[in-house]
Structures are given as structure tokens and as C-alpha cells.
């Protein structure tokens, strides 16, 4: 099969959003959870979800957890650590901005983002040097990093670009 998309934001039934690899690899009941290989025989993900429609129109659409996320979780479990999700400690507007980026609506007072200087009405335009356009871009970073990890962001404030380094915090909930 082929990987037809990377970093697809998929919302689970419990509301959790995961960034997945989209694949046309056959995934059938009883064989999910197997490795997804690249051309060189390297594991790039673990097949997990098969998209199914009630009328049978959707076929051959599956999703895999990227191997970087699997390794992140496995390393922490092996070390005896609790798995906690990290967050920026901010609330953002989910709507797409015409000029690009993600509008910050609120910054938690006890989050490292506030201490780093992030403010409401800032527009996050890049994370770790990569342009961002939606919340899936932020989720990709928080899912691959741990609490306390430092993340470099670029924001647009009053027409000027500003670089900040933000420590991730434990996600609430």
C-alpha cells in the first residue's frame, strides 16, 4: 500500500485528536495493529484504524500511528514513567486565518507560555521553524514532546515577528 497523507488529524470517539499516517494498505478486522513498512523495510507506523462507512462507499482508507509517537510512548513506559500529554497552555482560534497562522485567544497564567511572553492576540506563524496553519500542526508537536520540553515558536504581534521559547506543560483533563 501507499501512504497518501502524513499528519492527518483524526478525532477519536472520546474527543482525542491524533495525528496519523493515512494509508491505502488493507486493514481488516483482526489484523490491525501490525507494522506499516516503508520501501526500505523500516517500520514507519502501526496500523490502527480502518475507515468504514455505513453504505460501503469508503474502502481502502486506513490510518497508522507514526512510529515516532509509538517510540515516545514505549520509551516512557519502559522507563516506568506515567504517560502524560503535553500542551502549550494556550487556547487558540480553530478558524483559518486569511494571512496564515493560528490566533492565540488565551494564555494560562500558570503556563510557561505566559512566562515566555506569549500573549492573547498573538498569531503563531511557525513552530520549530515550520509554518503552521491549523491546530493539527500544534498537536503534532505536543504529541511528540514531553512536559518541560522547550519549543521554539515564531509569532506575529503588531505586524512584527517575534521568536519565543516555550516550555510545554501537562495537558489538563
Amino acid at each position: 500500500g501507499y501512504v497518501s497523507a502524513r499528519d492527518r488529524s483524526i478525532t477519536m470517539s472520546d474527543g482525542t485528536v491524533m495525528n496519523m499516517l493515512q494509508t491505502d494498505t488493507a486493514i481488516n478486522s483482526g489484523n490491525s495493529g501490525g507494522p506499516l513498512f516503508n520501501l526500505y523495510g523500516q517500520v514507519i507506523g502501526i496500523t490502527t484504524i480502518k475507515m468504514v462507512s455505513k453504505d460501503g462507499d469508503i474502502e481502502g482508507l486506513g490510518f497508522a500511528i507514526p512510529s515516532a509517537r509509538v517510540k515516545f510512548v514505549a520509551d516512557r513506559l519502559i522507563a516506568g514513567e506515567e504517560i502524560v500529554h503535553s500542551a502549550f497552555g494556550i487556547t487558540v482560534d480553530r478558524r483559518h486565518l486569511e494571512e496564515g497562522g493560528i490566533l492565540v485567544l488565551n494564555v494560562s497564567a500558570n503556563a510557561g507560555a505566559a512566562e515566555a511572553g506569549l500573549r492573547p492576540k498573538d498569531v503563531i506563524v511557525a513552530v520549530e521553524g515550520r509554518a503552521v496553519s491549523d491546530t493539527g500542526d500544534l498537536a503534532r508537536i505536543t504529541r511528540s514532546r514531553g512536559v518541560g520540553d522547550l519549543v521554539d515558536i515564531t509569532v506575529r504581534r503588531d505586524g512584527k515577528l517575534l521568536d519565543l521559547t516555550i516550555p510545554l506543560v501537562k495537558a489538563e483533563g
Side-chain angles (χ1 to χ4, degrees), residues 2-171:
Y2 293 93
V3 171
S4 52
R6 295 176 27 197
D7 294 328
R8 281 288 309 270
S9 293
I10 305 298
T11 304
M12 305 300 153
S13 59
D14 67 355
T16 302
V17 177
M18 292 184 68
N19 289 329
M20 310 282 279
L21 298 170
Q22 180 178 314
T23 179
D24 69 350
T25 302
I27 302 173
N28 300 304
S29 298
N31 78 347
S32 64
L36 180 64
F37 297 98
N38 68 10
L39 189 61
Y40 305 103
Q42 299 164 316
V43 176
I44 60 169
I46 304 297
T47 59
T48 312
I49 299 170
K50 176 184 179 181
M51 185 69 71
V52 178
S53 65
K54 291 181 182 178
D55 59 8
D57 285 348
I58 299 175
E59 188 59 44
L61 183 59
F63 297 93
I65 301 170
S67 59
R69 178 66 182 157
V70 173
K71 182 176 179 349
F72 175 84
V73 170
D75 287 348
R76 275 150 184 82
L77 290 174
I78 290 168
E81 297 176 16
E82 175 186 8
I83 303 300
V84 295
H85 297 291
S86 60
F88 284 95
I90 60 176
T91 304
V92 297
D93 192 333
R94 297 181 74 88
R95 294 176 291 183
H96 290 279
L97 299 178
E98 201 170 293
E99 65 276 14
I102 303 168
L103 177 65
V104 176
L105 298 175
N106 185 41
V107 180
S108 298
N110 59 350
E115 194 174 305
L118 190 64
R119 301 179 191 163
K121 298 185 182 176
D122 282 347
V123 176
I124 301 171
V125 295
V127 177
E128 298 293 324
R130 293 177 62 185
V132 296
S133 60
D134 62 37
T135 56
D137 295 328
L138 297 180
R140 184 184 68 253
I141 295 294
T142 59
R143 298 266 190 268
S144 65
R145 305 286 178 85
V147 173
D149 286 352
L150 300 177
V151 177
D152 294 323
I153 69 167
T154 302
V155 299
R156 187 173 52 242
R157 179 186 297 160
D158 300 324
K160 298 177 183 172
L161 295 180
L162 178 65
D163 292 322
L164 303 172
T165 300
I166 296 178
L168 296 178
V169 296
K170 182 177 179 180

